[in-house]
Structure formats: structure tokens, C-alpha cells
Amino acid sequence: MKLTAILLTAALWGAVRPVMAQTDSLDHGGPEGLDIYEELLMEDGGSVDPVVPRIAISPLVWDVNDSLSYIPGYDMYCHWNTDVIFDRGNTARFVHDTLRLVLSQQDCDHAIPCDGKLNSPFGPRRGRMHYGIDLELETGDPVKSAFAGMVRISKYNKSFGHVVVVRHQNGLETLYAHLSKRMVEPGQMVEAGDVLGLGGNTGRSYGSHLHFEVRFLDQPIDPSLVFDIEKGQLKAHTFDIHKGTFATIAAAKATAGTRRYHVVRSGDTLSAIARRNGTSVSSLCRLNGISASSTLRLGQRVRVN
Ligand SMILES: [Zn+2]
């Protein structure tokens, strides 16, 4: 792209600032010490705000009005939006070959965001997708940037609570949600391990924890494919992305969106139903508002996902 075109794109992006539409839903599972956020983020309202000059907060804070070359991954995204957390419409950019992202070249260029153990994985959960992993922490514990990069989002969001998103040089973005305090501003450069804020329980969250996401071109990636949380290290120094990476997630999302039920037959037990449906008795109890010792009725519909 010619420089003039890049600058024009940047100017247009500055002029048209999508407004985030939020919806609320009471349709979620019970408390589990976890977040209950939904992917409700990116329905662009399309309204046009007046162009407001943007002023750097400090010499270390940059935006597109300073120079595009400061924005990590600008050539891939062609925008830098400090309002919208993720662009759900950004689905078709990555359709071709495998792209190998370099994650690390030395020991000090990456960090696990917090020390807590993983208590909820990426994937379908309570009938919808969980696009990150949940890590245990106490409110007030430091939350660190996984890699060096530039803070793109630092704001309060109804679902994520106090949330920070960092764009990294390789195009990956990482998200840190439910913070009690944010300590960085959009445009701020950070190093791996820099404290972005303090862990907490804000937004749609039950119990203090860190909801941590990894995304590429707005598409979610299982952070457990990038980090070995138990060992506290990267899985590998590179990460390969190909269209299959996101097709798997799309398939899981389709499954997650479909509620499945089991109709109780003679001889059924909760544990047998759980086993046949790849879930647990405690999940069935939570989904159906019953206890493990509840008596099942013949013909009863038991929700299984
Ligand atoms: Zn989560």
C-alpha cells in the first residue's frame, strides 16, 4: 500500500469511530468463580463522531497521528482502534497459507500474566464459547503483559470489567480482563512482564480471577496452545496459524450455541448421562438446578451442555 493510501486509511479511521453496542443477557450459568461474559462486543453502530484531535499523554504514548511505524502490526490490521475491543466482522482476512509467528527469541521476552493455576479452559462452556482461559489470582495481584507491545485498549467494559488489550509486534493481541485497577493507557509501549494492572473481579465475573485471551486479527486462539500454564513457560518459540486454527474454533462455537438435552430412560443415572455426553455430574447439576442425589424421572429432559 502506498504511503498516501495508508495515511488516508488512518485519517478515515480516525474520523469514523465505531460505537460499541452492548446487550445484556441473563441467560448464563451459575457462579463458579469465573467470568460470565459474552461475545457481545462488536456490533458497530456506524455513527460518526466529530474528528477530535488526539494528544499524546506522554512522550512514550503514540497513536496513528504520530507515525504508523510505531503501531505494532499496523500493516496487518490497517487500523488502530482504542475503543472497540475486537472487531467481530474481521473474519475473512486469514484464508491462505500457514503463517509462522515468532513468539520468543530470548528468555526475557515473554511472561505468564499471573501465577495462578488454570481454572477454566478455552472452549464451549455453558452453551457458549469461552474465548480465553481463567487463571486464579487474588484481587490486587499484579497482572503482567505476556509480550512486549503497545496498549490498544484500557477501559471499563460491562462484560470484561476493567480490561487491557496489548498489540504485539507479531500481530498477536492479548487481553486481560476483570482487573481491579488499570495502570496503562492506550498507546503506551510495554515490555514483557510489565504490570498492566491489578487482578480483580470486575465486570461479569464471579470471584477474583484473570480472564486471559490471545487473538490474531481479532480471531481467538486458545492461550493454552501458546503458553504451558502449569510449567509457566511458552509451549514453543513459534506459533503456526492457518485457516484450520480458526475453523476448529468456529466448529466448537457452533456446537456451543446448540443446547442439547437427554431424555431420561429407565436405568439412567446422572453419572452415565454425564459420561455419555462428555461432561461431569457437577456440570449437569449446575445446568439443571439439581443435586447429585436428585431422583431422575422417566421422560425428564436433562440439559447436557
Ligand atoms: Zn474467562
Side-chain angles (χ1 to χ4, degrees):
M1 196 188 297
K2 283 184 179 172
L3 181 61
T4 48
I6 293 173
L7 291 172
L8 182 61
T9 307
L12 285 171
W13 188 260
V16 183
R17 299 169 66 192
V19 173
M20 192 165 68
Q22 292 194 338
T23 55
D24 208 351
S25 169
L26 298 174
D27 183 18
H28 55 64
E32 203 181 30
L34 307 173
D35 52 29
I36 309 288
Y37 85 90
E38 296 161 59
E39 283 290 295
L40 47 76
L41 301 168
M42 298 313 130
E43 292 180 21
D44 289 352
S47 65
V48 179
D49 289 347
V51 178
V52 178
R54 306 182 65 162
I55 301 163
I57 295 166
S58 84
L60 288 176
V61 175
W62 306 95
D63 69 17
V64 291
N65 293 328
D66 296 309
S67 169
L68 298 177
S69 64
Y70 288 109
I71 308 288
Y74 192 89
D75 52 336
M76 300 181 210
Y77 286 80
C78 298
H79 66 73
W80 176 254
N81 189 312
T82 57
D83 293 324
V84 176
I85 295 177
F86 289 118
D87 175 7
R88 294 186 87 179
N90 188 4
T91 56
R93 297 253 194 97
F94 197 86
V95 292
H96 295 301
D97 302 327
T98 297
L99 180 64
R100 173 157 291 182
L101 301 182
V102 175
L103 300 176
S104 170
Q105 291 174 313
Q106 48 194 340
D107 288 345
C108 60
D109 61 7
H110 57 278
I112 302 285
C114 71
D115 297 331
K117 72 178 171 68
L118 192 155
N119 63 11
S120 184
F122 180 98
R125 188 177 77 181
R126 289 191 288 267
R128 51 172 55 93
M129 280 296 283
H130 183 224
Y131 284 119
I133 59 175
D134 292 344
L135 300 174
E136 280 186 4
L137 52 62
E138 302 285 333
T139 291
D141 283 354
V143 170
K144 294 165 278 187
S145 185
F147 305 103
M150 182 184 280
V151 176
R152 184 170 65 79
I153 298 280
S154 177
K155 66 188 287 188
Y156 185 85
N157 171 273
K158 192 157 54 170
S159 301
F160 288 123
H162 287 293
V163 59
V164 171
V165 176
V166 180
R167 169 91 60 84
H168 308 290
Q169 289 295 345
N170 57 13
L172 281 181
E173 292 194 326
T174 49
L175 173 143
Y176 312 80
H178 309 310
L179 305 178
S180 58
K181 181 177 181 173
R182 291 175 280 114
M183 297 163 67
V184 289
E185 295 295 329
Q188 189 172 332
M189 303 296 289
V190 293
E191 296 295 331
D194 279 359
V195 176
L196 303 172
L198 305 179
N201 184 28
T202 57
R204 211 158 286 171
S205 168
Y206 294 91
S208 299
H209 74 286
L210 175 68
H211 173 84
F212 175 56
E213 294 191 8
V214 175
R215 298 213 178 206
F216 184 73
L217 292 178
D218 299 302
Q219 305 301 304
I221 292 169
D222 183 351
S224 298
L225 299 176
V226 177
F227 288 99
D228 185 326
I229 298 296
E230 249 177 51
K231 292 182 181 164
Q233 60 192 38
L234 284 173
K235 284 235 160 139
H237 290 278
T238 58
F239 183 75
D240 290 348
I241 292 183
H242 50 89
K243 59 183 174 183
T245 306
F246 304 120
T248 309
I249 294 165
K253 183 180 178 185
T255 305
T258 311
R259 289 185 184 181
R260 289 182 294 115
Y261 293 86
H262 173 84
V263 178
V264 173
R265 292 182 297 251
S266 177
D268 275 345
T269 61
L270 273 179
S271 58
I273 295 169
R275 199 167 49 244
R276 275 205 300 276
N277 289 280
T279 184
S280 65
V281 170
S282 61
S283 292
L284 291 181
C285 290
R286 192 178 59 242
L287 282 171
N288 293 279
I290 58 178
S291 75
S293 58
S294 295
T295 306
L296 297 173
R297 290 175 288 101
L298 287 179
Q300 181 178 348
R301 278 159 52 86
V302 176
R303 187 178 160 195
V304 298
N305 72 344

